[in-house]
Amino acid sequence: MGYFRLPICLLLLVAAGACSKTKQQAAAEAQAAEPQNIVYGINADDYRIETGEVGSGETLGKILNGYGVSALTIDRLDKASKAVFPLRNIRVGHKFTAFIHEDSLYAPHLDYLVYERNMSEYVVFGFHDDSVSVRTGEKQFTVRRTRKSATINSSLWGAIMEQNLPYALAAELEDIYQWTVDFFGIQKGDNFTVVYEERFIDDSIPAGIGRVWGAKFSQGGKEYYAIPFRQNGKIQYWEYDGASLRKQMLKAPLKYSRISSRFTYARKHPIYKVYRPHTGVDYAAPKGTPVHAVADGVVTFKGWGGGGGNTLKIKHAGNLMTGYLHLSGYAKGISKGSRVSQGQLIGYVGSTGASTGPHLDYRIWKNGTPIDPLKIPQEPAEPIARENRAAFEFVRDRITAELNGEIKDEDRITQLDSLVIPQAPAPAEAAAAK
């Protein structure tokens, strides 16, 4: 029996050691598996954190110097950051966060300083012995798909504010419908429904909106749908029948203003006090309001237009010409002979010439004859192509159902590449179904 005691003891010792090693490994693995407090891509558990705001007249160099960063290191950081985020671009009131570690003598050292460019974007400045680093990042956000409706009492922006909707939604709707809806002719009772993505940081802090997945705008009893669909490699918005929402000319050359005078052949001039034709539309707006070309064309006149003050005239296809009067100035690069594209910035609202206040006098001529800018017929851009019709109708029907509250979440369109929509019927199947 004695011959067996020693091997058995050895086996017991080895087993005990194996158990101990297994426990150590398990503890290490468990520690590694513990969730870390990651902030701006940095493990915040390893640091003491301080937060602050950029004060009036404060530079990043001054802030860093307050954390013990030397002038030589700040100069090195200034050179390294020029191509990523120049240090001079920091702004008063923006937040910053310092990540500080203490050495064996409990002396504090700044490892990172994070500057928040806006609600979602930030810059991380790193300090590692004698080297520095600069990187940009964006906070993670969650996306909620939302459907909202509102009735207009005064203006689109007013309805957005009354319903506590994101302000950016008003700008998005104006961009989508700028060829179709007359935002200067909105009446009380007009309404809209829109499906859009809203972004949230930490699942609670609003951080803007994403894609507008569809809209329905009712003006004067007529409904205008906006259906997103990808054609020719680009997502655009289309009417219910597949016509493009984009038209030959924008409805107006500027935003956020009101019509102060309309097209007429008998208006009493506010300065000369006599009746004379006013063959244009006056848009009252603050001085400096951006003015955009309503269509592609070529600048044929730039200069002083007498009573019209600083004036631009642009020639377009179809023997059309547009005029922009009383400008305070012209956009950079605009000169006689310049080619401009639809929506391009061309100048700014002013009060030059015979004017009683800042406004834009906008005019259109066809074959040299003045026509009312508010009544010009609109030619749509290229419609949905025949080969895309079945896929478009698939997307349209589901977006329309979602706008009307008639679709389940699992049936919603979640991407818009018509070539890979798995449920989209083939053209032959769609034809057979009809």
Side-chain angles (χ1 to χ4, degrees):
M1 294 291 293
Y3 292 105
F4 296 101
R5 289 177 182 173
L6 183 59
I8 292 173
C9 289
L10 287 173
L11 288 171
L12 290 173
L13 287 172
V14 170
C19 290
S20 176
K21 185 177 180 181
T22 302
K23 289 180 180 179
Q24 291 174 355
Q25 289 176 339
E29 291 173 359
Q31 184 177 6
E34 288 180 2
Q36 296 177 325
N37 182 22
I38 303 299
V39 182
Y40 304 112
I42 303 166
N43 186 2
D45 292 334
D46 295 339
Y47 296 95
R48 174 166 59 85
I49 292 178
E50 294 182 5
T51 60
E53 288 186 0
V54 179
S56 178
E58 202 168 29
T59 64
L60 189 62
K62 183 178 179 180
I63 295 171
L64 292 173
N65 188 254
Y67 286 103
V69 180
S70 68
L72 180 62
T73 302
I74 293 172
D75 181 65
R76 189 179 295 126
L77 180 68
D78 182 51
K79 293 175 181 177
S81 65
K82 283 183 178 178
V84 181
F85 180 80
L87 302 188
R88 66 178 182 275
N89 286 355
I90 70 166
R91 296 292 181 264
V92 175
H94 285 230
K95 296 180 180 180
F96 64 83
T97 303
F99 292 77
I100 303 164
H101 85 271
E102 295 177 343
D103 60 21
S104 58
L105 299 177
Y106 301 102
H109 296 274
L110 180 71
D111 278 10
Y112 300 97
L113 188 133
V114 181
Y115 169 77
E116 294 197 359
R117 302 174 63 177
N118 50 48
M119 188 175 292
S120 59
E121 297 177 313
Y122 58 85
V123 186
V124 180
F125 302 104
F127 306 91
H128 325 281
D129 297 327
D130 293 330
S131 65
V132 296
S133 63
V134 185
R135 66 176 174 85
T136 59
E138 187 171 359
K139 296 179 182 178
Q140 292 185 341
F141 53 80
T142 55
V143 176
R144 299 177 196 164
R145 190 146 154 173
T146 306
R147 172 182 170 270
K148 294 290 184 180
S149 298
T151 298
I152 297 172
N153 291 316
S154 57
S155 68
L156 173 63
W157 283 82
I160 292 289
M161 289 188 287
E162 289 169 7
Q163 297 296 320
N164 293 319
L165 301 179
Y167 291 166
L169 193 59
E172 286 291 324
L173 289 174
E174 286 190 337
D175 283 343
I176 291 170
Y177 285 112
Q178 61 185 309
W179 298 271
T180 309
V181 173
D182 181 6
F183 288 101
F184 299 102
I186 284 180
Q187 301 293 323
K188 184 176 182 178
D190 291 345
N191 58 83
F192 65 87
T193 299
V194 58
V195 174
Y196 64 98
E197 293 175 345
E198 191 165 10
R199 297 171 177 173
F200 293 88
I201 295 173
D202 296 332
D203 209 34
S204 60
I205 303 172
I209 66 174
R211 170 172 294 151
V212 171
W213 280 94
K216 179 174 64 174
F217 203 106
S218 298
Q219 183 179 38
K222 185 176 180 180
E223 292 184 340
Y224 301 92
Y225 279 89
I227 309 297
F229 186 77
R230 184 188 299 276
Q231 180 165 282
N232 297 328
K234 183 179 181 181
I235 294 176
Q236 299 181 52
Y237 291 89
W238 311 79
E239 297 188 36
Y240 188 88
D241 62 359
S244 174
L245 276 176
R246 296 178 64 92
K247 300 295 190 293
Q248 180 187 7
M249 307 186 81
L250 299 179
K251 277 286 187 180
L254 74 173
K255 300 178 182 178
Y256 323 127
S257 60
R258 62 180 177 84
I259 293 177
S260 56
S261 182
R262 296 176 180 268
F263 186 98
T264 178
Y265 280 96
R267 184 190 72 158
K268 188 175 182 180
H269 196 280
I271 294 179
Y272 303 126
K273 307 301 182 184
V274 295
Y275 286 92
R276 57 169 58 179
H278 180 257
T279 55
V281 173
D282 286 348
Y283 293 99
K287 180 180 178 181
T289 299
V291 177
H292 304 271
V294 296
D296 296 349
V298 177
V299 176
T300 58
F301 179 85
K302 173 192 174 184
W304 189 258
N310 293 328
T311 299
L312 272 178
K313 291 184 179 180
I314 301 175
K315 185 178 180 181
H316 310 281
N319 293 320
L320 290 171
M321 181 176 290
T322 54
Y324 311 82
L325 286 62
H326 305 301
L327 300 173
S328 62
Y330 308 99
K332 185 177 180 180
I334 297 296
S335 60
K336 184 177 180 179
S338 297
R339 300 194 69 85
V340 296
S341 56
Q342 188 179 66
Q344 180 178 335
L345 177 66
I346 56 174
Y348 305 90
V349 168
S351 187
T352 55
S355 171
T356 58
H359 71 285
L360 175 72
D361 185 345
Y362 170 54
R363 306 194 175 200
I364 300 181
W365 298 268
K366 185 174 180 64
N367 296 320
T369 301
I371 58 176
D372 187 346
L374 299 179
K375 297 180 179 179
I376 184 170
Q378 291 281 54
E379 295 296 329
E382 179 185 1
I384 289 292
R386 178 181 295 179
E387 60 270 23
N388 293 332
R389 171 60 64 172
F392 168 75
E393 291 180 354
F394 171 83
V395 172
R396 179 200 64 194
D397 291 346
R398 278 155 179 77
I399 295 295
T400 301
E402 188 173 359
L403 286 167
N404 294 330
E406 301 169 351
I407 194 169
K408 298 178 180 178
D409 288 351
E410 58 268 23
D411 294 328
R412 298 184 307 184
I413 296 292
T414 56
Q415 50 79 38
L416 292 170
D417 192 333
S418 62
L419 299 179
V420 296
I421 295 176
Q423 306 97 327
E429 295 173 353
K434 291 181 179 180

